[in-house]
Amino acid sequence: RSVNIVAFGNERDGFSEDNQQPSLIWSYLGRSALISQIDSSLSASHVGNPVFTEYQACVFGNVRLVVHDCPVWDIFDSDWYTSCRLIGGADIIVIKYSVNDKTSFQELKDSYVPMVKKALNHCSAPVIISAIGARKNGVPCTCPLCTSDRRSCVTTSEGVQLAKDLGATYLELHTLNDFYIQKYFGGVLEYFMIQSLNQKSSEKMKKRKKMQKCHRVQPPQLEQPEKMPILKGEASHYNADLHNLLCCCQCADVAFYPEDLSRAVEAHKIILCSVSHLFMLLFGVRSPSDAHDASVVQLAQSLFTVEPGDPFPSSPRGVPPCVPPVRVVVKDSVFCSCLPDILHFIYSGAFQWERLEEDIKKKLKDPDKTEHVLEKVKCILKTPGKLNTVKDCKSHQIKRLYNTSLRLFFNTPVLADVIFKIQGATVPAHRAVLVARCEVMAAMFNGNYLEANSILVPVYGVSKDTFLSFLEYLYTDSCCPASILQAMSLLICAEMYQVMRLQHICELYIITQLQSMPSRELASTSLSIVSLLKKAKFHNSDCLSTWLLHFIATNYLIFSQKPEFQELSVEERNFVEMHRWPSNLYLKQLADYRNYIHSQKCHCTVM
């Protein structure tokens, strides 16, 4: 017997300096008298960023307790399938938050509660919402990193309303001491554990009684269908693609120079403008009258001088002749000397703050100059009107503040240097983004092809909507197909441009949608699975084509009655017949059993 618990959320204040405080789940496991043989192991999606911690222990003597503690809500963004799997297998769900972190609570309420609700549609597990901490009422925080007033705590009514929305049990734990952990939280948790065990025992007993009803010859046992091939997702390399763009300097359209013009550092306006309002002002994307913060305009004027025209001493590589590069003179010599490190920081996603600090300290070897440069970087990246200079920053906070996106420039003519012509319509785009994210387009725009020096590029073989979805993925690293057919069209486009991760995402979407179809809907749908199979094979989607063959074999009784079944090749038909479910052997045994029951003239309660 076992009980599975899944916990989401971080009970620590995001601005608290006490990072050694034990978590709610670990505190309960360590203090409860019912828990024994505790074991923990760390599971991570990549080194340095743990997604969840798994604990295993024994409860009530011999009941196995498995706990997955997910402190970071990002799992719902980065790995939706894993988060759904965790919730689907949970017997109890715990949602935690700090009453002193209003920003995180608001993000939970606005962004992640709808996702949790969607996942709970297929799960009947009870939910416990734990509001942790004593509310602080003091002088408002002057830390420039705060995006909201720290006096604004999460109220009890807000927590109760959240619990009502999720149909959950609401608890307030003012501190993680023995009373709140063992008596209060532990009492509720152990009640639900007992309920879960009782329900499982009841279901097991019903199944056993059902099996004992037929005392005569037992019907043949129907084996489970063969397991489907598991399709693994591919990790994102979005930030790495943009960082490689800086290293190779393809399609660079801006060159930074010191005042003595001794050297040049090349970059891309589209990347710089996507992370900073200052660069938007500098390159004319926004006018000074649009700025909400005069300090941003003053910093841009004091730090940079833009001189459009022929670059010197040489032109940045990869820029079409019709798009002249922009020459920017950096007035601050100390800042200019650190510019390569600052650009590496920006192109890597603008969240490795500690590394940037170390690189600048090592280069300048002067605390005052280091602080001077870092303050300018923070001012460049800050949101106008919301932040002042920042001290003692942490990477996760910087990432939250500077989480701007290339989505702002998707399908807009702003800074666009290439226009795709497709189905009589035009779609503006940016060569730098395309070259960074797609190797086929990198070869097309930088090789000996007509497109390398053309602004207008025709596109054939895909629809406008599909191509827009493809470009959206290149810009944002995400895609949301509206249907299986749209996902297949996007898969074909991804295969045409050799964007393998997008192809895998489309494969996963198609598989997930087909798996969720009830048998009745599968039998009545006009969607041709055989047609999907043939397209997957033609476009080298081996994983999807193999899975679809297994899917047809597993649902043999449904697909064998459809006209499209005759379109399978001889090889495909042989595979389906070999792996069909239920098997021919089972059907023969079932027919023999029915004949026996009929000959004995007795009624079988199972049949």
Side-chain angles (χ1 to χ4, degrees), residues 76 80 83-90 93 112-127 165-167 516:
F76 281 85
W80 169 249
S83 58
C84 284
R85 178 175 57 82
L86 288 174
I87 292 179
I93 297 172
Y112 299 110
V113 166
M115 297 184 184
V116 174
K117 279 187 177 180
K118 183 178 179 181
L120 285 175
N121 288 335
H122 307 286
C123 172
S124 59
V127 181
D165 292 342
L166 292 174
S516 64

PDB file of all heavy atoms in Angstrom, residues 76 80 83-90 93 112-127 165-167 516:
ATOM      1  N   PHE A  76       5.231  24.134 -14.591  1.00  0.00           N
ATOM      2  CA  PHE A  76       4.043  24.155 -15.435  1.00  0.00           C
ATOM      3  C   PHE A  76       4.336  24.810 -16.780  1.00  0.00           C
ATOM      4  O   PHE A  76       3.668  24.520 -17.767  1.00  0.00           O
ATOM      5  CB  PHE A  76       2.900  24.905 -14.732  1.00  0.00           C
ATOM      6  CG  PHE A  76       2.197  24.081 -13.696  1.00  0.00           C
ATOM      7  CD1 PHE A  76       2.685  23.994 -12.400  1.00  0.00           C
ATOM      8  CD2 PHE A  76       1.062  23.369 -14.021  1.00  0.00           C
ATOM      9  CE1 PHE A  76       2.046  23.235 -11.447  1.00  0.00           C
ATOM     10  CE2 PHE A  76       0.395  22.602 -13.073  1.00  0.00           C
ATOM     11  CZ  PHE A  76       0.901  22.541 -11.782  1.00  0.00           C
ATOM     12  N   TRP A  80       4.941  20.841 -19.007  1.00  0.00           N
ATOM     13  CA  TRP A  80       3.530  20.657 -18.696  1.00  0.00           C
ATOM     14  C   TRP A  80       3.178  19.188 -18.531  1.00  0.00           C
ATOM     15  O   TRP A  80       2.362  18.821 -17.688  1.00  0.00           O
ATOM     16  CB  TRP A  80       2.708  21.283 -19.811  1.00  0.00           C
ATOM     17  CG  TRP A  80       1.245  20.955 -19.777  1.00  0.00           C
ATOM     18  CD1 TRP A  80       0.559  20.179 -20.651  1.00  0.00           C
ATOM     19  CD2 TRP A  80       0.273  21.407 -18.821  1.00  0.00           C
ATOM     20  NE1 TRP A  80      -0.767  20.114 -20.316  1.00  0.00           N
ATOM     21  CE2 TRP A  80      -0.976  20.855 -19.184  1.00  0.00           C
ATOM     22  CE3 TRP A  80       0.329  22.217 -17.683  1.00  0.00           C
ATOM     23  CZ2 TRP A  80      -2.129  21.089 -18.468  1.00  0.00           C
ATOM     24  CZ3 TRP A  80      -0.827  22.448 -16.982  1.00  0.00           C
ATOM     25  CH2 TRP A  80      -2.038  21.900 -17.373  1.00  0.00           C
ATOM     26  N   SER A  83       4.214  17.918 -15.038  1.00  0.00           N
ATOM     27  CA  SER A  83       3.346  18.453 -13.994  1.00  0.00           C
ATOM     28  C   SER A  83       1.981  17.760 -14.005  1.00  0.00           C
ATOM     29  O   SER A  83       1.434  17.435 -12.956  1.00  0.00           O
ATOM     30  CB  SER A  83       3.175  19.969 -14.172  1.00  0.00           C
ATOM     31  OG  SER A  83       2.632  20.262 -15.447  1.00  0.00           O
ATOM     32  N   CYS A  84       1.433  17.486 -15.206  1.00  0.00           N
ATOM     33  CA  CYS A  84       0.155  16.775 -15.290  1.00  0.00           C
ATOM     34  C   CYS A  84       0.299  15.342 -14.780  1.00  0.00           C
ATOM     35  O   CYS A  84      -0.599  14.805 -14.132  1.00  0.00           O
ATOM     36  CB  CYS A  84      -0.354  16.766 -16.729  1.00  0.00           C
ATOM     37  SG  CYS A  84      -1.050  18.335 -17.250  1.00  0.00           S
ATOM     38  N   ARG A  85       1.444  14.720 -15.082  1.00  0.00           N
ATOM     39  CA  ARG A  85       1.666  13.352 -14.616  1.00  0.00           C
ATOM     40  C   ARG A  85       1.742  13.305 -13.100  1.00  0.00           C
ATOM     41  O   ARG A  85       1.209  12.390 -12.452  1.00  0.00           O
ATOM     42  CB  ARG A  85       2.959  12.810 -15.234  1.00  0.00           C
ATOM     43  CG  ARG A  85       3.312  11.401 -14.783  1.00  0.00           C
ATOM     44  CD  ARG A  85       4.536  10.893 -15.528  1.00  0.00           C
ATOM     45  NE  ARG A  85       5.676  11.773 -15.344  1.00  0.00           N
ATOM     46  CZ  ARG A  85       6.474  11.730 -14.280  1.00  0.00           C
ATOM     47  NH1 ARG A  85       6.240  10.881 -13.295  1.00  0.00           N
ATOM     48  NH2 ARG A  85       7.507  12.533 -14.199  1.00  0.00           N
ATOM     49  N   LEU A  86       2.408  14.302 -12.483  1.00  0.00           N
ATOM     50  CA  LEU A  86       2.505  14.344 -11.028  1.00  0.00           C
ATOM     51  C   LEU A  86       1.129  14.513 -10.384  1.00  0.00           C
ATOM     52  O   LEU A  86       0.779  13.822  -9.421  1.00  0.00           O
ATOM     53  CB  LEU A  86       3.433  15.486 -10.599  1.00  0.00           C
ATOM     54  CG  LEU A  86       4.931  15.290 -10.863  1.00  0.00           C
ATOM     55  CD1 LEU A  86       5.693  16.564 -10.515  1.00  0.00           C
ATOM     56  CD2 LEU A  86       5.481  14.122 -10.078  1.00  0.00           C
ATOM     57  N   ILE A  87       0.327  15.435 -10.926  1.00  0.00           N
ATOM     58  CA  ILE A  87      -1.002  15.662 -10.355  1.00  0.00           C
ATOM     59  C   ILE A  87      -1.897  14.449 -10.580  1.00  0.00           C
ATOM     60  O   ILE A  87      -2.656  14.044  -9.692  1.00  0.00           O
ATOM     61  CB  ILE A  87      -1.633  16.932 -10.970  1.00  0.00           C
ATOM     62  CG1 ILE A  87      -0.858  18.174 -10.493  1.00  0.00           C
ATOM     63  CG2 ILE A  87      -3.099  17.060 -10.596  1.00  0.00           C
ATOM     64  CD1 ILE A  87      -1.372  19.477 -11.047  1.00  0.00           C
ATOM     65  N   GLY A  88      -1.806  13.844 -11.772  1.00  0.00           N
ATOM     66  CA  GLY A  88      -2.637  12.692 -12.070  1.00  0.00           C
ATOM     67  C   GLY A  88      -2.365  11.506 -11.166  1.00  0.00           C
ATOM     68  O   GLY A  88      -3.259  10.720 -10.872  1.00  0.00           O
ATOM     69  N   GLY A  89      -1.115  11.358 -10.690  1.00  0.00           N
ATOM     70  CA  GLY A  89      -0.775  10.241  -9.828  1.00  0.00           C
ATOM     71  C   GLY A  89      -0.846  10.559  -8.346  1.00  0.00           C
ATOM     72  O   GLY A  89      -0.466   9.730  -7.514  1.00  0.00           O
ATOM     73  N   ALA A  90      -1.329  11.759  -7.998  1.00  0.00           N
ATOM     74  CA  ALA A  90      -1.329  12.179  -6.589  1.00  0.00           C
ATOM     75  C   ALA A  90      -2.593  11.703  -5.879  1.00  0.00           C
ATOM     76  O   ALA A  90      -3.685  11.705  -6.437  1.00  0.00           O
ATOM     77  CB  ALA A  90      -1.216  13.700  -6.498  1.00  0.00           C
ATOM     78  N   ILE A  93      -2.821  16.679  -2.747  1.00  0.00           N
ATOM     79  CA  ILE A  93      -2.082  17.800  -3.346  1.00  0.00           C
ATOM     80  C   ILE A  93      -2.000  18.917  -2.313  1.00  0.00           C
ATOM     81  O   ILE A  93      -3.011  19.290  -1.703  1.00  0.00           O
ATOM     82  CB  ILE A  93      -2.761  18.298  -4.622  1.00  0.00           C
ATOM     83  CG1 ILE A  93      -2.771  17.184  -5.675  1.00  0.00           C
ATOM     84  CG2 ILE A  93      -2.053  19.532  -5.174  1.00  0.00           C
ATOM     85  CD1 ILE A  93      -3.585  17.518  -6.895  1.00  0.00           C
ATOM     86  N   TYR A 112      -1.015  30.255 -12.615  1.00  0.00           N
ATOM     87  CA  TYR A 112      -0.888  28.819 -12.405  1.00  0.00           C
ATOM     88  C   TYR A 112      -2.153  28.152 -11.875  1.00  0.00           C
ATOM     89  O   TYR A 112      -2.345  26.948 -12.092  1.00  0.00           O
ATOM     90  CB  TYR A 112       0.293  28.545 -11.467  1.00  0.00           C
ATOM     91  CG  TYR A 112       1.602  29.019 -12.033  1.00  0.00           C
ATOM     92  CD1 TYR A 112       2.280  30.110 -11.487  1.00  0.00           C
ATOM     93  CD2 TYR A 112       2.144  28.415 -13.156  1.00  0.00           C
ATOM     94  CE1 TYR A 112       3.470  30.563 -12.036  1.00  0.00           C
ATOM     95  CE2 TYR A 112       3.323  28.855 -13.711  1.00  0.00           C
ATOM     96  CZ  TYR A 112       3.983  29.922 -13.153  1.00  0.00           C
ATOM     97  OH  TYR A 112       5.155  30.364 -13.690  1.00  0.00           O
ATOM     98  N   VAL A 113      -3.014  28.894 -11.166  1.00  0.00           N
ATOM     99  CA  VAL A 113      -4.259  28.279 -10.681  1.00  0.00           C
ATOM    100  C   VAL A 113      -5.111  27.766 -11.847  1.00  0.00           C
ATOM    101  O   VAL A 113      -5.665  26.652 -11.763  1.00  0.00           O
ATOM    102  CB  VAL A 113      -5.040  29.274  -9.803  1.00  0.00           C
ATOM    103  CG1 VAL A 113      -6.474  28.799  -9.588  1.00  0.00           C
ATOM    104  CG2 VAL A 113      -4.349  29.431  -8.454  1.00  0.00           C
ATOM    105  N   PRO A 114      -5.241  28.519 -12.982  1.00  0.00           N
ATOM    106  CA  PRO A 114      -5.999  27.943 -14.114  1.00  0.00           C
ATOM    107  C   PRO A 114      -5.391  26.644 -14.622  1.00  0.00           C
ATOM    108  O   PRO A 114      -6.121  25.734 -15.010  1.00  0.00           O
ATOM    109  CB  PRO A 114      -5.926  29.060 -15.179  1.00  0.00           C
ATOM    110  CG  PRO A 114      -5.713  30.322 -14.399  1.00  0.00           C
ATOM    111  CD  PRO A 114      -4.871  29.931 -13.234  1.00  0.00           C
ATOM    112  N   MET A 115      -4.039  26.551 -14.621  1.00  0.00           N
ATOM    113  CA  MET A 115      -3.402  25.314 -15.062  1.00  0.00           C
ATOM    114  C   MET A 115      -3.696  24.168 -14.093  1.00  0.00           C
ATOM    115  O   MET A 115      -3.941  23.029 -14.504  1.00  0.00           O
ATOM    116  CB  MET A 115      -1.884  25.518 -15.182  1.00  0.00           C
ATOM    117  CG  MET A 115      -1.465  26.525 -16.212  1.00  0.00           C
ATOM    118  SD  MET A 115       0.341  26.618 -16.352  1.00  0.00           S
ATOM    119  CE  MET A 115       0.520  27.932 -17.534  1.00  0.00           C
ATOM    120  N   VAL A 116      -3.647  24.476 -12.787  1.00  0.00           N
ATOM    121  CA  VAL A 116      -3.938  23.449 -11.778  1.00  0.00           C
ATOM    122  C   VAL A 116      -5.382  22.983 -11.917  1.00  0.00           C
ATOM    123  O   VAL A 116      -5.678  21.783 -11.838  1.00  0.00           O
ATOM    124  CB  VAL A 116      -3.667  23.994 -10.362  1.00  0.00           C
ATOM    125  CG1 VAL A 116      -4.108  22.982  -9.313  1.00  0.00           C
ATOM    126  CG2 VAL A 116      -2.187  24.317 -10.183  1.00  0.00           C
ATOM    127  N   LYS A 117      -6.309  23.925 -12.134  1.00  0.00           N
ATOM    128  CA  LYS A 117      -7.718  23.562 -12.315  1.00  0.00           C
ATOM    129  C   LYS A 117      -7.878  22.621 -13.509  1.00  0.00           C
ATOM    130  O   LYS A 117      -8.613  21.632 -13.453  1.00  0.00           O
ATOM    131  CB  LYS A 117      -8.562  24.822 -12.546  1.00  0.00           C
ATOM    132  CG  LYS A 117      -8.941  25.567 -11.277  1.00  0.00           C
ATOM    133  CD  LYS A 117      -9.907  26.680 -11.646  1.00  0.00           C
ATOM    134  CE  LYS A 117     -10.388  27.411 -10.404  1.00  0.00           C
ATOM    135  NZ  LYS A 117     -11.317  28.502 -10.748  1.00  0.00           N
ATOM    136  N   LYS A 118      -7.178  22.941 -14.590  1.00  0.00           N
ATOM    137  CA  LYS A 118      -7.280  22.106 -15.782  1.00  0.00           C
ATOM    138  C   LYS A 118      -6.773  20.702 -15.512  1.00  0.00           C
ATOM    139  O   LYS A 118      -7.381  19.713 -15.929  1.00  0.00           O
ATOM    140  CB  LYS A 118      -6.478  22.751 -16.930  1.00  0.00           C
ATOM    141  CG  LYS A 118      -6.569  22.006 -18.238  1.00  0.00           C
ATOM    142  CD  LYS A 118      -5.789  22.729 -19.325  1.00  0.00           C
ATOM    143  CE  LYS A 118      -5.849  21.957 -20.648  1.00  0.00           C
ATOM    144  NZ  LYS A 118      -5.072  22.644 -21.712  1.00  0.00           N
ATOM    145  N   ALA A 119      -5.661  20.609 -14.783  1.00  0.00           N
ATOM    146  CA  ALA A 119      -5.102  19.296 -14.459  1.00  0.00           C
ATOM    147  C   ALA A 119      -5.998  18.536 -13.493  1.00  0.00           C
ATOM    148  O   ALA A 119      -6.088  17.310 -13.543  1.00  0.00           O
ATOM    149  CB  ALA A 119      -3.700  19.456 -13.878  1.00  0.00           C
ATOM    150  N   LEU A 120      -6.681  19.263 -12.577  1.00  0.00           N
ATOM    151  CA  LEU A 120      -7.537  18.614 -11.587  1.00  0.00           C
ATOM    152  C   LEU A 120      -8.833  18.073 -12.191  1.00  0.00           C
ATOM    153  O   LEU A 120      -9.552  17.326 -11.526  1.00  0.00           O
ATOM    154  CB  LEU A 120      -7.879  19.604 -10.467  1.00  0.00           C
ATOM    155  CG  LEU A 120      -6.750  19.909  -9.463  1.00  0.00           C
ATOM    156  CD1 LEU A 120      -7.188  20.987  -8.502  1.00  0.00           C
ATOM    157  CD2 LEU A 120      -6.351  18.648  -8.708  1.00  0.00           C
ATOM    158  N   ASN A 121      -9.128  18.461 -13.447  1.00  0.00           N
ATOM    159  CA  ASN A 121     -10.332  17.931 -14.092  1.00  0.00           C
ATOM    160  C   ASN A 121     -10.275  16.422 -14.236  1.00  0.00           C
ATOM    161  O   ASN A 121     -11.301  15.750 -14.329  1.00  0.00           O
ATOM    162  CB  ASN A 121     -10.523  18.579 -15.468  1.00  0.00           C
ATOM    163  CG  ASN A 121     -10.950  20.025 -15.358  1.00  0.00           C
ATOM    164  OD1 ASN A 121     -11.531  20.432 -14.353  1.00  0.00           O
ATOM    165  ND2 ASN A 121     -10.662  20.822 -16.373  1.00  0.00           N
ATOM    166  N   HIS A 122      -9.044  15.878 -14.317  1.00  0.00           N
ATOM    167  CA  HIS A 122      -8.863  14.437 -14.489  1.00  0.00           C
ATOM    168  C   HIS A 122      -8.381  13.786 -13.195  1.00  0.00           C
ATOM    169  O   HIS A 122      -7.837  12.687 -13.223  1.00  0.00           O
ATOM    170  CB  HIS A 122      -7.860  14.174 -15.617  1.00  0.00           C
ATOM    171  CG  HIS A 122      -8.199  14.879 -16.901  1.00  0.00           C
ATOM    172  ND1 HIS A 122      -9.222  14.467 -17.733  1.00  0.00           N
ATOM    173  CD2 HIS A 122      -7.679  15.989 -17.476  1.00  0.00           C
ATOM    174  CE1 HIS A 122      -9.306  15.275 -18.765  1.00  0.00           C
ATOM    175  NE2 HIS A 122      -8.389  16.213 -18.639  1.00  0.00           N
ATOM    176  N   CYS A 123      -8.527  14.477 -12.061  1.00  0.00           N
ATOM    177  CA  CYS A 123      -7.991  13.961 -10.796  1.00  0.00           C
ATOM    178  C   CYS A 123      -8.955  14.328  -9.671  1.00  0.00           C
ATOM    179  O   CYS A 123      -9.473  15.449  -9.626  1.00  0.00           O
ATOM    180  CB  CYS A 123      -6.598  14.551 -10.542  1.00  0.00           C
ATOM    181  SG  CYS A 123      -5.919  14.185  -8.928  1.00  0.00           S
ATOM    182  N   SER A 124      -9.209  13.377  -8.776  1.00  0.00           N
ATOM    183  CA  SER A 124     -10.144  13.627  -7.669  1.00  0.00           C
ATOM    184  C   SER A 124      -9.431  13.754  -6.333  1.00  0.00           C
ATOM    185  O   SER A 124     -10.042  13.587  -5.282  1.00  0.00           O
ATOM    186  CB  SER A 124     -11.157  12.478  -7.595  1.00  0.00           C
ATOM    187  OG  SER A 124     -10.500  11.238  -7.399  1.00  0.00           O
ATOM    188  N   ALA A 125      -8.134  14.032  -6.356  1.00  0.00           N
ATOM    189  CA  ALA A 125      -7.361  14.109  -5.112  1.00  0.00           C
ATOM    190  C   ALA A 125      -7.748  15.354  -4.317  1.00  0.00           C
ATOM    191  O   ALA A 125      -8.001  16.424  -4.891  1.00  0.00           O
ATOM    192  CB  ALA A 125      -5.866  14.150  -5.424  1.00  0.00           C
ATOM    193  N   PRO A 126      -7.811  15.258  -2.976  1.00  0.00           N
ATOM    194  CA  PRO A 126      -8.077  16.439  -2.146  1.00  0.00           C
ATOM    195  C   PRO A 126      -6.912  17.417  -2.189  1.00  0.00           C
ATOM    196  O   PRO A 126      -5.751  17.024  -2.361  1.00  0.00           O
ATOM    197  CB  PRO A 126      -8.257  15.844  -0.738  1.00  0.00           C
ATOM    198  CG  PRO A 126      -7.502  14.564  -0.765  1.00  0.00           C
ATOM    199  CD  PRO A 126      -7.636  14.034  -2.160  1.00  0.00           C
ATOM    200  N   VAL A 127      -7.214  18.717  -2.036  1.00  0.00           N
ATOM    201  CA  VAL A 127      -6.199  19.780  -2.114  1.00  0.00           C
ATOM    202  C   VAL A 127      -6.153  20.518  -0.782  1.00  0.00           C
ATOM    203  O   VAL A 127      -7.192  20.874  -0.220  1.00  0.00           O
ATOM    204  CB  VAL A 127      -6.516  20.755  -3.261  1.00  0.00           C
ATOM    205  CG1 VAL A 127      -5.448  21.848  -3.342  1.00  0.00           C
ATOM    206  CG2 VAL A 127      -6.628  20.019  -4.589  1.00  0.00           C
ATOM    207  N   ASP A 165     -11.982  28.490  -4.906  1.00  0.00           N
ATOM    208  CA  ASP A 165     -11.841  28.305  -6.351  1.00  0.00           C
ATOM    209  C   ASP A 165     -11.363  26.899  -6.695  1.00  0.00           C
ATOM    210  O   ASP A 165     -11.733  26.352  -7.746  1.00  0.00           O
ATOM    211  CB  ASP A 165     -10.858  29.339  -6.925  1.00  0.00           C
ATOM    212  CG  ASP A 165     -11.422  30.745  -6.847  1.00  0.00           C
ATOM    213  OD1 ASP A 165     -12.647  30.901  -6.685  1.00  0.00           O
ATOM    214  OD2 ASP A 165     -10.624  31.701  -6.955  1.00  0.00           O
ATOM    215  N   LEU A 166     -10.518  26.330  -5.845  1.00  0.00           N
ATOM    216  CA  LEU A 166      -9.966  25.006  -6.115  1.00  0.00           C
ATOM    217  C   LEU A 166     -10.705  23.899  -5.362  1.00  0.00           C
ATOM    218  O   LEU A 166     -10.329  22.726  -5.477  1.00  0.00           O
ATOM    219  CB  LEU A 166      -8.474  24.970  -5.739  1.00  0.00           C
ATOM    220  CG  LEU A 166      -7.531  25.809  -6.588  1.00  0.00           C
ATOM    221  CD1 LEU A 166      -6.125  25.789  -6.028  1.00  0.00           C
ATOM    222  CD2 LEU A 166      -7.515  25.289  -8.029  1.00  0.00           C
ATOM    223  N   GLY A 167     -11.716  24.262  -4.556  1.00  0.00           N
ATOM    224  CA  GLY A 167     -12.399  23.264  -3.745  1.00  0.00           C
ATOM    225  C   GLY A 167     -11.473  22.640  -2.728  1.00  0.00           C
ATOM    226  O   GLY A 167     -11.492  21.425  -2.498  1.00  0.00           O
ATOM    227  N   SER A 516      -6.087  11.267 -25.318  1.00  0.00           N
ATOM    228  CA  SER A 516      -7.191  11.753 -24.485  1.00  0.00           C
ATOM    229  C   SER A 516      -8.562  11.529 -25.132  1.00  0.00           C
ATOM    230  O   SER A 516      -9.586  11.802 -24.511  1.00  0.00           O
ATOM    231  CB  SER A 516      -7.008  13.242 -24.190  1.00  0.00           C
ATOM    232  OG  SER A 516      -7.082  14.003 -25.390  1.00  0.00           O
TER     233      SER A 516
END
